[in-house]
Amino acid sequence: MKSFENYLRDHTILKETSIYKYVTAINTISSDMINEKVIRMNINDITQINDFEIIYHAIMSSSKFIKKNNKGNNMYSCALKYYQKYLEFINKYFY
């Protein structure tokens, strides 16, 4: 199964710096949202799109996330959208 990073490299036109930022953003979001008790598991451990959609809505409703996302020019929400596309891809071809 492809990793998120490999998916971004192979299936998008993103530059390496953007790939690095999005992968790092997913890790940051996971850590922040677990610490805030918004989610209970690392986003990287989610493989099912239905599970992701549930935590996506919880994250997008978090005031801490909204503030960080605004400060980061929506990079964090873009990272989540790319992760969603990644999950759609792996669920289509690997599950």
Side-chain angles (χ1 to χ4, degrees):
M1 181 173 17
K2 285 185 176 284
S3 71
F4 179 51
E5 183 176 357
N6 288 338
Y7 168 80
L8 292 176
R9 190 172 287 116
D10 296 343
H11 297 279
T12 70
I13 58 170
L14 294 171
K15 296 184 180 189
E16 284 298 315
T17 53
S18 295
I19 291 169
Y20 173 80
K21 287 178 183 178
Y22 288 142
V23 169
T24 303
I26 292 298
N27 293 328
T28 300
I29 295 165
S30 288
S31 178
D32 288 353
M33 295 296 101
I34 289 169
N35 288 338
E36 291 291 312
K37 309 239 185 296
V38 173
I39 62 175
R40 294 191 305 208
M41 67 185 302
N42 190 302
I43 294 169
N44 288 303
D45 294 334
I46 296 171
T47 58
Q48 298 299 315
I49 193 68
N50 293 340
D51 296 335
F52 177 79
E53 288 174 358
I54 292 166
I55 67 135
Y56 174 83
H57 293 294
I59 292 169
M60 294 301 289
S61 299
S62 164
S63 59
K64 182 172 182 174
F65 176 81
I66 292 167
K67 184 177 179 181
K68 186 173 199 137
N69 192 46
N70 288 339
K71 186 176 181 181
N73 294 314
N74 296 319
M75 183 203 47
Y76 295 97
S77 59
C78 285
L80 288 171
K81 288 177 185 172
Y82 274 112
Y83 198 83
Q84 181 176 24
K85 289 178 183 180
Y86 160 69
L87 289 179
E88 289 168 354
F89 174 82
I90 66 169
N91 278 268
K92 182 175 181 180
Y93 293 104
F94 297 103
Y95 291 112

PDB file of all heavy atoms in Angstrom, residues 27-54:
ATOM      1  N   ASN A  27       0.842  15.230  10.508  1.00  0.00           N
ATOM      2  CA  ASN A  27       1.398  14.832  11.810  1.00  0.00           C
ATOM      3  C   ASN A  27       1.113  15.880  12.876  1.00  0.00           C
ATOM      4  O   ASN A  27       0.763  15.548  14.009  1.00  0.00           O
ATOM      5  CB  ASN A  27       2.900  14.575  11.690  1.00  0.00           C
ATOM      6  CG  ASN A  27       3.211  13.379  10.832  1.00  0.00           C
ATOM      7  OD1 ASN A  27       2.448  12.423  10.790  1.00  0.00           O
ATOM      8  ND2 ASN A  27       4.326  13.423  10.141  1.00  0.00           N
ATOM      9  N   THR A  28       1.238  17.142  12.522  1.00  0.00           N
ATOM     10  CA  THR A  28       0.967  18.240  13.450  1.00  0.00           C
ATOM     11  C   THR A  28      -0.504  18.277  13.849  1.00  0.00           C
ATOM     12  O   THR A  28      -0.836  18.413  15.026  1.00  0.00           O
ATOM     13  CB  THR A  28       1.380  19.586  12.824  1.00  0.00           C
ATOM     14  OG1 THR A  28       2.775  19.550  12.523  1.00  0.00           O
ATOM     15  CG2 THR A  28       1.081  20.757  13.748  1.00  0.00           C
ATOM     16  N   ILE A  29      -1.371  18.152  12.868  1.00  0.00           N
ATOM     17  CA  ILE A  29      -2.812  18.146  13.150  1.00  0.00           C
ATOM     18  C   ILE A  29      -3.153  16.990  14.093  1.00  0.00           C
ATOM     19  O   ILE A  29      -3.879  17.173  15.066  1.00  0.00           O
ATOM     20  CB  ILE A  29      -3.635  18.030  11.846  1.00  0.00           C
ATOM     21  CG1 ILE A  29      -3.439  19.259  10.959  1.00  0.00           C
ATOM     22  CG2 ILE A  29      -5.122  17.832  12.161  1.00  0.00           C
ATOM     23  CD1 ILE A  29      -3.908  19.057   9.521  1.00  0.00           C
ATOM     24  N   SER A  30      -2.612  15.812  13.789  1.00  0.00           N
ATOM     25  CA  SER A  30      -2.875  14.644  14.641  1.00  0.00           C
ATOM     26  C   SER A  30      -2.476  14.919  16.079  1.00  0.00           C
ATOM     27  O   SER A  30      -3.257  14.702  17.001  1.00  0.00           O
ATOM     28  CB  SER A  30      -2.108  13.424  14.124  1.00  0.00           C
ATOM     29  OG  SER A  30      -2.675  12.942  12.947  1.00  0.00           O
ATOM     30  N   SER A  31      -1.269  15.377  16.254  1.00  0.00           N
ATOM     31  CA  SER A  31      -0.747  15.637  17.590  1.00  0.00           C
ATOM     32  C   SER A  31      -1.580  16.693  18.318  1.00  0.00           C
ATOM     33  O   SER A  31      -1.992  16.491  19.469  1.00  0.00           O
ATOM     34  CB  SER A  31       0.707  16.087  17.484  1.00  0.00           C
ATOM     35  OG  SER A  31       1.223  16.390  18.746  1.00  0.00           O
ATOM     36  N   ASP A  32      -1.837  17.795  17.645  1.00  0.00           N
ATOM     37  CA  ASP A  32      -2.615  18.883  18.257  1.00  0.00           C
ATOM     38  C   ASP A  32      -4.023  18.442  18.636  1.00  0.00           C
ATOM     39  O   ASP A  32      -4.509  18.730  19.726  1.00  0.00           O
ATOM     40  CB  ASP A  32      -2.715  20.081  17.312  1.00  0.00           C
ATOM     41  CG  ASP A  32      -1.424  20.853  17.167  1.00  0.00           C
ATOM     42  OD1 ASP A  32      -0.453  20.565  17.901  1.00  0.00           O
ATOM     43  OD2 ASP A  32      -1.377  21.755  16.289  1.00  0.00           O
ATOM     44  N   MET A  33      -4.678  17.731  17.725  1.00  0.00           N
ATOM     45  CA  MET A  33      -6.075  17.356  17.958  1.00  0.00           C
ATOM     46  C   MET A  33      -6.202  16.230  18.981  1.00  0.00           C
ATOM     47  O   MET A  33      -7.190  16.177  19.715  1.00  0.00           O
ATOM     48  CB  MET A  33      -6.761  16.995  16.640  1.00  0.00           C
ATOM     49  CG  MET A  33      -6.884  18.165  15.666  1.00  0.00           C
ATOM     50  SD  MET A  33      -7.931  19.528  16.261  1.00  0.00           S
ATOM     51  CE  MET A  33      -6.723  20.716  16.836  1.00  0.00           C
ATOM     52  N   ILE A  34      -5.207  15.356  19.068  1.00  0.00           N
ATOM     53  CA  ILE A  34      -5.201  14.355  20.126  1.00  0.00           C
ATOM     54  C   ILE A  34      -5.006  15.042  21.477  1.00  0.00           C
ATOM     55  O   ILE A  34      -5.704  14.747  22.445  1.00  0.00           O
ATOM     56  CB  ILE A  34      -4.126  13.276  19.873  1.00  0.00           C
ATOM     57  CG1 ILE A  34      -4.547  12.388  18.690  1.00  0.00           C
ATOM     58  CG2 ILE A  34      -3.894  12.430  21.123  1.00  0.00           C
ATOM     59  CD1 ILE A  34      -3.466  11.453  18.179  1.00  0.00           C
ATOM     60  N   ASN A  35      -4.076  15.979  21.535  1.00  0.00           N
ATOM     61  CA  ASN A  35      -3.829  16.724  22.779  1.00  0.00           C
ATOM     62  C   ASN A  35      -5.049  17.519  23.223  1.00  0.00           C
ATOM     63  O   ASN A  35      -5.293  17.666  24.418  1.00  0.00           O
ATOM     64  CB  ASN A  35      -2.625  17.649  22.631  1.00  0.00           C
ATOM     65  CG  ASN A  35      -1.326  16.901  22.584  1.00  0.00           C
ATOM     66  OD1 ASN A  35      -1.216  15.766  23.037  1.00  0.00           O
ATOM     67  ND2 ASN A  35      -0.303  17.533  22.014  1.00  0.00           N
ATOM     68  N   GLU A  36      -5.803  18.022  22.264  1.00  0.00           N
ATOM     69  CA  GLU A  36      -7.014  18.796  22.568  1.00  0.00           C
ATOM     70  C   GLU A  36      -8.231  17.895  22.808  1.00  0.00           C
ATOM     71  O   GLU A  36      -9.323  18.383  23.043  1.00  0.00           O
ATOM     72  CB  GLU A  36      -7.317  19.762  21.420  1.00  0.00           C
ATOM     73  CG  GLU A  36      -6.325  20.899  21.276  1.00  0.00           C
ATOM     74  CD  GLU A  36      -6.422  21.883  22.418  1.00  0.00           C
ATOM     75  OE1 GLU A  36      -7.545  22.307  22.771  1.00  0.00           O
ATOM     76  OE2 GLU A  36      -5.354  22.235  22.967  1.00  0.00           O
ATOM     77  N   LYS A  37      -8.030  16.580  22.659  1.00  0.00           N
ATOM     78  CA  LYS A  37      -9.099  15.589  22.836  1.00  0.00           C
ATOM     79  C   LYS A  37     -10.216  15.732  21.790  1.00  0.00           C
ATOM     80  O   LYS A  37     -11.366  15.369  22.033  1.00  0.00           O
ATOM     81  CB  LYS A  37      -9.676  15.636  24.247  1.00  0.00           C
ATOM     82  CG  LYS A  37      -8.618  15.565  25.335  1.00  0.00           C
ATOM     83  CD  LYS A  37      -8.818  14.396  26.236  1.00  0.00           C
ATOM     84  CE  LYS A  37      -7.873  14.355  27.407  1.00  0.00           C
ATOM     85  NZ  LYS A  37      -6.479  14.200  27.127  1.00  0.00           N
ATOM     86  N   VAL A  38      -9.859  16.257  20.629  1.00  0.00           N
ATOM     87  CA  VAL A  38     -10.809  16.361  19.519  1.00  0.00           C
ATOM     88  C   VAL A  38     -10.903  15.012  18.805  1.00  0.00           C
ATOM     89  O   VAL A  38     -11.981  14.600  18.385  1.00  0.00           O
ATOM     90  CB  VAL A  38     -10.374  17.474  18.532  1.00  0.00           C
ATOM     91  CG1 VAL A  38     -11.248  17.499  17.292  1.00  0.00           C
ATOM     92  CG2 VAL A  38     -10.397  18.835  19.234  1.00  0.00           C
ATOM     93  N   ILE A  39      -9.749  14.333  18.676  1.00  0.00           N
ATOM     94  CA  ILE A  39      -9.709  12.991  18.099  1.00  0.00           C
ATOM     95  C   ILE A  39      -8.932  12.086  19.048  1.00  0.00           C
ATOM     96  O   ILE A  39      -8.209  12.574  19.925  1.00  0.00           O
ATOM     97  CB  ILE A  39      -9.085  12.978  16.678  1.00  0.00           C
ATOM     98  CG1 ILE A  39      -7.623  13.457  16.701  1.00  0.00           C
ATOM     99  CG2 ILE A  39      -9.922  13.823  15.732  1.00  0.00           C
ATOM    100  CD1 ILE A  39      -6.901  13.352  15.373  1.00  0.00           C
ATOM    101  N   ARG A  40      -9.077  10.769  18.845  1.00  0.00           N
ATOM    102  CA  ARG A  40      -8.411   9.832  19.748  1.00  0.00           C
ATOM    103  C   ARG A  40      -7.295   9.040  19.089  1.00  0.00           C
ATOM    104  O   ARG A  40      -6.567   8.330  19.764  1.00  0.00           O
ATOM    105  CB  ARG A  40      -9.421   8.861  20.342  1.00  0.00           C
ATOM    106  CG  ARG A  40     -10.407   9.555  21.246  1.00  0.00           C
ATOM    107  CD  ARG A  40     -11.228   8.602  22.033  1.00  0.00           C
ATOM    108  NE  ARG A  40     -11.917   7.626  21.180  1.00  0.00           N
ATOM    109  CZ  ARG A  40     -13.045   7.043  21.498  1.00  0.00           C
ATOM    110  NH1 ARG A  40     -13.624   7.307  22.628  1.00  0.00           N
ATOM    111  NH2 ARG A  40     -13.606   6.178  20.685  1.00  0.00           N
ATOM    112  N   MET A  41      -7.179   9.112  17.770  1.00  0.00           N
ATOM    113  CA  MET A  41      -6.133   8.351  17.094  1.00  0.00           C
ATOM    114  C   MET A  41      -5.423   9.204  16.060  1.00  0.00           C
ATOM    115  O   MET A  41      -5.977  10.188  15.571  1.00  0.00           O
ATOM    116  CB  MET A  41      -6.695   7.081  16.451  1.00  0.00           C
ATOM    117  CG  MET A  41      -7.634   7.326  15.303  1.00  0.00           C
ATOM    118  SD  MET A  41      -8.422   5.821  14.640  1.00  0.00           S
ATOM    119  CE  MET A  41      -7.065   4.821  14.173  1.00  0.00           C
ATOM    120  N   ASN A  42      -4.206   8.802  15.757  1.00  0.00           N
ATOM    121  CA  ASN A  42      -3.400   9.503  14.768  1.00  0.00           C
ATOM    122  C   ASN A  42      -4.068   9.385  13.402  1.00  0.00           C
ATOM    123  O   ASN A  42      -4.517   8.298  13.016  1.00  0.00           O
ATOM    124  CB  ASN A  42      -1.994   8.888  14.749  1.00  0.00           C
ATOM    125  CG  ASN A  42      -1.024   9.680  13.935  1.00  0.00           C
ATOM    126  OD1 ASN A  42      -1.236   9.904  12.745  1.00  0.00           O
ATOM    127  ND2 ASN A  42       0.045  10.104  14.565  1.00  0.00           N
ATOM    128  N   ILE A  43      -4.117  10.471  12.688  1.00  0.00           N
ATOM    129  CA  ILE A  43      -4.736  10.474  11.358  1.00  0.00           C
ATOM    130  C   ILE A  43      -4.051   9.450  10.453  1.00  0.00           C
ATOM    131  O   ILE A  43      -4.715   8.786   9.653  1.00  0.00           O
ATOM    132  CB  ILE A  43      -4.690  11.888  10.742  1.00  0.00           C
ATOM    133  CG1 ILE A  43      -5.567  12.842  11.554  1.00  0.00           C
ATOM    134  CG2 ILE A  43      -5.135  11.859   9.279  1.00  0.00           C
ATOM    135  CD1 ILE A  43      -5.402  14.302  11.206  1.00  0.00           C
ATOM    136  N   ASN A  44      -2.742   9.297  10.571  1.00  0.00           N
ATOM    137  CA  ASN A  44      -2.011   8.342   9.732  1.00  0.00           C
ATOM    138  C   ASN A  44      -2.437   6.902   9.950  1.00  0.00           C
ATOM    139  O   ASN A  44      -2.142   6.044   9.115  1.00  0.00           O
ATOM    140  CB  ASN A  44      -0.504   8.467   9.972  1.00  0.00           C
ATOM    141  CG  ASN A  44       0.042   9.740   9.389  1.00  0.00           C
ATOM    142  OD1 ASN A  44      -0.100   9.998   8.205  1.00  0.00           O
ATOM    143  ND2 ASN A  44       0.662  10.553  10.227  1.00  0.00           N
ATOM    144  N   ASP A  45      -3.122   6.612  11.048  1.00  0.00           N
ATOM    145  CA  ASP A  45      -3.592   5.261  11.317  1.00  0.00           C
ATOM    146  C   ASP A  45      -4.972   4.986  10.716  1.00  0.00           C
ATOM    147  O   ASP A  45      -5.462   3.861  10.772  1.00  0.00           O
ATOM    148  CB  ASP A  45      -3.643   5.004  12.824  1.00  0.00           C
ATOM    149  CG  ASP A  45      -2.258   5.017  13.450  1.00  0.00           C
ATOM    150  OD1 ASP A  45      -1.270   4.729  12.731  1.00  0.00           O
ATOM    151  OD2 ASP A  45      -2.155   5.310  14.651  1.00  0.00           O
ATOM    152  N   ILE A  46      -5.586   6.000  10.162  1.00  0.00           N
ATOM    153  CA  ILE A  46      -6.924   5.849   9.582  1.00  0.00           C
ATOM    154  C   ILE A  46      -6.789   5.373   8.135  1.00  0.00           C
ATOM    155  O   ILE A  46      -6.059   5.963   7.341  1.00  0.00           O
ATOM    156  CB  ILE A  46      -7.695   7.185   9.642  1.00  0.00           C
ATOM    157  CG1 ILE A  46      -7.910   7.576  11.108  1.00  0.00           C
ATOM    158  CG2 ILE A  46      -9.021   7.085   8.891  1.00  0.00           C
ATOM    159  CD1 ILE A  46      -8.461   8.961  11.296  1.00  0.00           C
ATOM    160  N   THR A  47      -7.494   4.294   7.822  1.00  0.00           N
ATOM    161  CA  THR A  47      -7.441   3.758   6.461  1.00  0.00           C
ATOM    162  C   THR A  47      -8.800   3.754   5.770  1.00  0.00           C
ATOM    163  O   THR A  47      -8.868   3.581   4.559  1.00  0.00           O
ATOM    164  CB  THR A  47      -6.884   2.315   6.464  1.00  0.00           C
ATOM    165  OG1 THR A  47      -7.712   1.510   7.295  1.00  0.00           O
ATOM    166  CG2 THR A  47      -5.445   2.286   6.947  1.00  0.00           C
ATOM    167  N   GLN A  48      -9.846   3.953   6.526  1.00  0.00           N
ATOM    168  CA  GLN A  48     -11.193   3.931   5.955  1.00  0.00           C
ATOM    169  C   GLN A  48     -11.733   5.353   5.807  1.00  0.00           C
ATOM    170  O   GLN A  48     -11.672   6.144   6.741  1.00  0.00           O
ATOM    171  CB  GLN A  48     -12.140   3.103   6.824  1.00  0.00           C
ATOM    172  CG  GLN A  48     -11.729   1.647   6.939  1.00  0.00           C
ATOM    173  CD  GLN A  48     -11.706   0.948   5.598  1.00  0.00           C
ATOM    174  OE1 GLN A  48     -12.618   1.090   4.794  1.00  0.00           O
ATOM    175  NE2 GLN A  48     -10.638   0.196   5.347  1.00  0.00           N
ATOM    176  N   ILE A  49     -12.263   5.642   4.649  1.00  0.00           N
ATOM    177  CA  ILE A  49     -12.743   6.988   4.348  1.00  0.00           C
ATOM    178  C   ILE A  49     -13.877   7.401   5.292  1.00  0.00           C
ATOM    179  O   ILE A  49     -13.947   8.559   5.701  1.00  0.00           O
ATOM    180  CB  ILE A  49     -13.156   7.120   2.859  1.00  0.00           C
ATOM    181  CG1 ILE A  49     -13.356   8.577   2.474  1.00  0.00           C
ATOM    182  CG2 ILE A  49     -14.351   6.287   2.536  1.00  0.00           C
ATOM    183  CD1 ILE A  49     -12.131   9.410   2.447  1.00  0.00           C
ATOM    184  N   ASN A  50     -14.738   6.467   5.675  1.00  0.00           N
ATOM    185  CA  ASN A  50     -15.842   6.810   6.583  1.00  0.00           C
ATOM    186  C   ASN A  50     -15.325   7.264   7.944  1.00  0.00           C
ATOM    187  O   ASN A  50     -15.861   8.205   8.537  1.00  0.00           O
ATOM    188  CB  ASN A  50     -16.788   5.622   6.762  1.00  0.00           C
ATOM    189  CG  ASN A  50     -17.522   5.286   5.487  1.00  0.00           C
ATOM    190  OD1 ASN A  50     -17.632   6.104   4.574  1.00  0.00           O
ATOM    191  ND2 ASN A  50     -18.015   4.073   5.413  1.00  0.00           N
ATOM    192  N   ASP A  51     -14.294   6.597   8.442  1.00  0.00           N
ATOM    193  CA  ASP A  51     -13.685   6.999   9.713  1.00  0.00           C
ATOM    194  C   ASP A  51     -13.053   8.375   9.595  1.00  0.00           C
ATOM    195  O   ASP A  51     -13.155   9.207  10.502  1.00  0.00           O
ATOM    196  CB  ASP A  51     -12.628   5.987  10.157  1.00  0.00           C
ATOM    197  CG  ASP A  51     -13.211   4.623  10.451  1.00  0.00           C
ATOM    198  OD1 ASP A  51     -14.418   4.547  10.783  1.00  0.00           O
ATOM    199  OD2 ASP A  51     -12.464   3.631  10.356  1.00  0.00           O
ATOM    200  N   PHE A  52     -12.410   8.619   8.457  1.00  0.00           N
ATOM    201  CA  PHE A  52     -11.769   9.917   8.243  1.00  0.00           C
ATOM    202  C   PHE A  52     -12.797  11.042   8.211  1.00  0.00           C
ATOM    203  O   PHE A  52     -12.569  12.114   8.780  1.00  0.00           O
ATOM    204  CB  PHE A  52     -10.946   9.915   6.948  1.00  0.00           C
ATOM    205  CG  PHE A  52     -10.325  11.253   6.666  1.00  0.00           C
ATOM    206  CD1 PHE A  52      -9.166  11.644   7.331  1.00  0.00           C
ATOM    207  CD2 PHE A  52     -10.899  12.127   5.767  1.00  0.00           C
ATOM    208  CE1 PHE A  52      -8.606  12.889   7.094  1.00  0.00           C
ATOM    209  CE2 PHE A  52     -10.342  13.369   5.511  1.00  0.00           C
ATOM    210  CZ  PHE A  52      -9.186  13.753   6.181  1.00  0.00           C
ATOM    211  N   GLU A  53     -13.898  10.818   7.539  1.00  0.00           N
ATOM    212  CA  GLU A  53     -14.920  11.864   7.431  1.00  0.00           C
ATOM    213  C   GLU A  53     -15.442  12.287   8.801  1.00  0.00           C
ATOM    214  O   GLU A  53     -15.704  13.470   9.031  1.00  0.00           O
ATOM    215  CB  GLU A  53     -16.051  11.408   6.518  1.00  0.00           C
ATOM    216  CG  GLU A  53     -15.622  11.370   5.058  1.00  0.00           C
ATOM    217  CD  GLU A  53     -16.660  10.783   4.127  1.00  0.00           C
ATOM    218  OE1 GLU A  53     -17.740  10.347   4.590  1.00  0.00           O
ATOM    219  OE2 GLU A  53     -16.384  10.743   2.915  1.00  0.00           O
ATOM    220  N   ILE A  54     -15.555  11.354   9.712  1.00  0.00           N
ATOM    221  CA  ILE A  54     -16.019  11.678  11.066  1.00  0.00           C
ATOM    222  C   ILE A  54     -15.015  12.583  11.768  1.00  0.00           C
ATOM    223  O   ILE A  54     -15.387  13.617  12.332  1.00  0.00           O
ATOM    224  CB  ILE A  54     -16.264  10.392  11.882  1.00  0.00           C
ATOM    225  CG1 ILE A  54     -17.456   9.627  11.301  1.00  0.00           C
ATOM    226  CG2 ILE A  54     -16.483  10.714  13.359  1.00  0.00           C
ATOM    227  CD1 ILE A  54     -17.590   8.211  11.808  1.00  0.00           C
TER     228      ILE A  54
END
